[in-house]
Amino acid sequence: MHKNLLWVFFEKFGASFLSIVVFFVYAYLLSPYDMGVAITILSVTQFIAIGISTIFEDAIVQAKEVTARDINTAFSSAISISGLLILLVVVGFSVIPFAQESYNMPMLVAFASFEILLTSFSVTYVALLRKEGKFKTLAFRVVVGRVGGALCGLLAVLNGLGAWAIVAQSVLGMLFQTIILVYSVRSVPSFSFHLSSFKRFMKFGVPLTLKRITWDVLVRSSPIIAGLTLGTSAAGHVGFAWRVVDLFRSAIFSGLMSYLLPHYSKLSQDKSKLSSEFLGTTALIAFFVSPIFMGLLITAPVIVTTIFESKWYPAIPLIQLYSVFAIVSCWRAPEHIALTSCGNTKVLLREKTVTSIVLIFALYHLGQYGLWIFGCLYLANFLVLFPIGSKAIKESLGIEVWLQILPCIKYAAPSFAMVMSLFTIQYYVPQDSLLNTLAAQISLGIIVFSSLAFLFYRKKLQSWKKGIK
């Protein structure tokens, strides 16, 4: 482990904490309709931004050597591609009769699309800083950018701007991040293009991007499908439920990806060491991540009802289903990172693409039966892909499937015990105050988990502590 890991998690969890606070304020002040409009637009623009950044950023990080010609090509290609896609997005939303009666959609979408351009401009900066291990700069940039964007968004929502406030928070936050990057590096790549570099980026980045965006297509199309089948307010409920869970999940997943991809890439030639790191990381995630989402699974009804009363109550079952999915997906995060570090970007590409397409059609046809369908189909996605991914890890690293599962069961045991105790005790907690109920659940959960961790995992905790130091 390295001190850079602490900066990575400061960046991811600091940003997520800010996002959670701001998002809860939005959810409290805005209606599900306004949230649905903003989430639908940002689902499209941020999906495109992520796709562009994945093609070039991870390709630069994973490459053994990167020349100035490569950097210039990545910079100019990302900018050019983003400009074309922005035009398509604005035109697309202009012709679709979506919330046109409430908002000037072409203007709102054009403003939201500015985040695509800013992300493309930042791709090479972020990749080089990750490659050089300058995670402190990246952490500072993200946290300060999120704070600036959050303040602007809150001012907008207090002035009654509705969906504009959520879009402004996202776009202006990215603008502040870009300014900090340029100031830190103090150089701008040349706008030049070299076909050989571009082909190399495409060869590595496109399969990786397709594998990632097949999942993102499913996630970001969910509120859109909910809006089409159940109404715009349902899009807000789906977006709200996923946001509550994914603010934690994405912080963990992207934090691991930022740190472990360069680390795993250095070990990619030594399969025994990489296998050991894979199992160790899986155990660490199972131990520390499981109680977060299992706790959310139990406390979601009380948290949502206490803060928002009845406005977001329909999202509670979906939050619980998403929490289960978040647990198992985080357990398998090392799988994606290990395969990428070995250059196996095409592994699972076909399966993930087909599964996502099937699930999108299933959401469209079954979504009318209720929001819980969305959570169930996410879990179905994991169950279909898990055996295929496990087989790929076995072929790449030589780790048997049962050995991949064992750390999850062994080190998530305190969390399972915590959940069982909370299920049992919640019937004996006085229901006169939701706040008292929440405090009792959290206190008991901490006591049960900490006691079991101290009794049965003391040596492993000491080992992890030494590793972190």
Side-chain angles (χ1 to χ4, degrees):
M1 297 291 237
H2 192 275
K3 65 180 181 180
N4 281 329
L5 182 59
L6 299 179
W7 284 114
V8 169
F9 280 93
F10 172 74
E11 170 195 342
K12 303 302 179 183
F13 284 98
S16 290
F17 176 76
L18 291 170
S19 297
I20 289 167
V21 172
V22 174
F23 182 74
F24 273 28
V25 172
Y26 290 153
Y28 186 79
L29 296 175
L30 297 176
S31 68
Y33 177 86
D34 289 327
M35 293 279 285
V37 171
I39 288 171
T40 300
I41 294 172
L42 291 176
S43 293
V44 176
T45 56
Q46 291 179 349
F47 166 74
I48 294 172
I50 289 172
I52 294 174
S53 66
T54 303
I55 289 178
F56 299 101
E57 185 179 319
D58 287 343
I60 293 173
V61 173
Q62 193 268 351
K64 298 296 183 291
E65 295 182 4
V66 179
T67 65
R69 187 172 69 175
D70 295 331
I71 298 302
N72 295 336
T73 299
F75 178 78
S76 57
S77 299
I79 295 292
S80 302
I81 294 171
S82 67
L84 176 61
L85 292 176
I86 287 172
L87 180 61
L88 294 175
V89 169
V90 174
V91 171
F93 269 99
S94 298
V95 299
I96 296 174
F98 172 71
Q100 300 284 0
E101 69 281 2
S102 304
Y103 291 96
N104 184 340
M105 290 303 294
M107 290 294 295
L108 183 56
V109 173
F111 179 54
S113 298
F114 189 52
E115 185 174 359
I116 302 173
L117 184 63
L118 292 170
T119 303
S120 301
F121 187 88
S122 305
V123 162
T124 53
Y125 292 94
V126 175
L128 290 174
L129 289 173
R130 282 177 62 192
K131 196 173 182 66
E132 294 168 7
K134 296 181 179 180
F135 294 99
K136 181 178 180 180
T137 302
L138 291 172
F140 176 79
R141 155 246 183 188
V142 170
V143 173
V144 172
R146 290 288 180 89
V147 170
L151 292 176
C152 294
L154 289 175
L155 287 174
V157 76
L158 292 174
N159 281 279
L161 294 181
W164 279 91
I166 302 177
V167 173
Q169 180 248 338
S170 184
V171 173
L172 295 179
M174 192 64 210
L175 175 61
F176 295 141
Q177 292 183 42
T178 305
I179 292 172
I180 293 171
L181 277 178
V182 174
Y183 178 79
S184 300
V185 179
R186 300 194 180 186
S187 65
V188 178
S190 302
F191 201 88
S192 60
F193 179 84
H194 299 275
L195 185 59
S196 59
S197 298
F198 182 76
K199 287 181 177 179
R200 192 160 61 252
F201 285 130
M202 292 298 105
K203 183 178 180 181
F204 179 87
V206 169
L208 181 63
T209 303
L210 290 174
K211 190 160 63 173
R212 179 174 179 178
I213 66 174
T214 51
W215 165 248
D216 274 358
V217 166
L218 176 61
V219 170
R220 296 179 184 278
S221 65
S222 293
I224 299 174
I225 294 172
L228 293 173
T229 57
L230 298 170
T232 305
S233 294
H237 287 128
V238 170
F240 172 82
W242 179 248
R243 190 83 170 175
V244 168
V245 176
D246 197 53
L247 284 170
F248 296 104
R249 192 196 74 89
S250 63
I252 295 167
F253 196 96
S254 60
L256 291 169
M257 190 72 181
S258 293
Y259 180 78
L260 290 179
L261 180 57
H263 180 58
Y264 278 16
S265 296
K266 294 175 183 177
L267 303 175
S268 59
Q269 302 303 316
D270 190 338
K271 292 303 191 308
S272 62
K273 286 186 177 180
L274 184 55
S275 299
S276 176
E277 288 288 329
F278 175 89
L279 294 173
T281 306
T282 302
L284 191 69
I285 293 170
F287 187 83
F288 288 104
V289 173
S290 300
I292 297 174
F293 296 109
M294 290 187 186
L296 181 60
L297 170 71
I298 300 298
T299 59
V302 182
I303 291 175
V304 173
T305 307
T306 302
I307 299 175
F308 305 107
E309 297 180 346
S310 61
K311 182 167 62 172
W312 295 103
Y313 194 80
I316 291 174
L318 199 51
I319 292 174
Q320 294 175 313
L321 287 168
Y322 283 158
S323 297
V324 176
F325 171 77
I327 295 169
V328 294
S329 66
C330 285
W331 286 353
R332 298 303 295 174
E335 170 197 300
H336 173 76
I337 301 169
L339 293 174
T340 302
S341 67
C342 293
N344 297 336
T345 57
K346 294 182 180 180
V347 176
L348 297 179
L349 175 57
R350 180 183 58 189
E351 292 83 358
K352 286 190 173 184
T353 302
V354 172
T355 304
S356 294
I357 292 173
V358 171
L359 287 178
I360 288 171
F361 278 102
L363 284 177
Y364 184 76
H365 290 287
L366 299 176
Q368 58 183 316
Y369 295 108
L371 296 178
W372 61 274
I373 290 291
F374 291 80
C376 291
L377 290 179
Y378 276 34
L379 289 171
N381 178 76
F382 171 80
L383 293 174
V384 170
L385 293 175
F386 170 73
I388 304 172
S390 299
K391 181 181 178 182
I393 288 293
K394 179 181 178 181
E395 293 174 350
S396 297
L397 303 182
I399 305 174
E400 296 292 336
V401 176
W402 70 273
L403 287 176
Q404 299 175 40
I405 300 173
L406 184 61
C408 300
I409 299 174
K410 180 178 179 181
Y411 290 98
S415 300
F416 290 124
M418 178 190 75
V419 168
M420 292 175 63
S421 65
L422 288 178
F423 266 127
T424 303
I425 202 68
Q426 68 180 356
Y427 296 103
Y428 300 98
V429 176
Q431 300 295 317
D432 57 331
S433 170
L434 289 174
L435 196 58
N436 290 340
T437 301
L438 180 61
Q441 288 179 328
I442 294 174
S443 300
L444 179 63
I446 291 174
I447 291 171
V448 172
F449 180 84
S450 301
S451 300
L452 292 173
F454 179 78
L455 287 174
F456 298 105
Y457 299 89
R458 197 184 323 175
K459 291 184 179 180
K460 193 62 179 179
L461 288 171
Q462 291 174 349
S463 174
W464 282 332
K465 182 180 179 180
K466 291 179 181 178
I468 292 173
K469 286 184 176 180

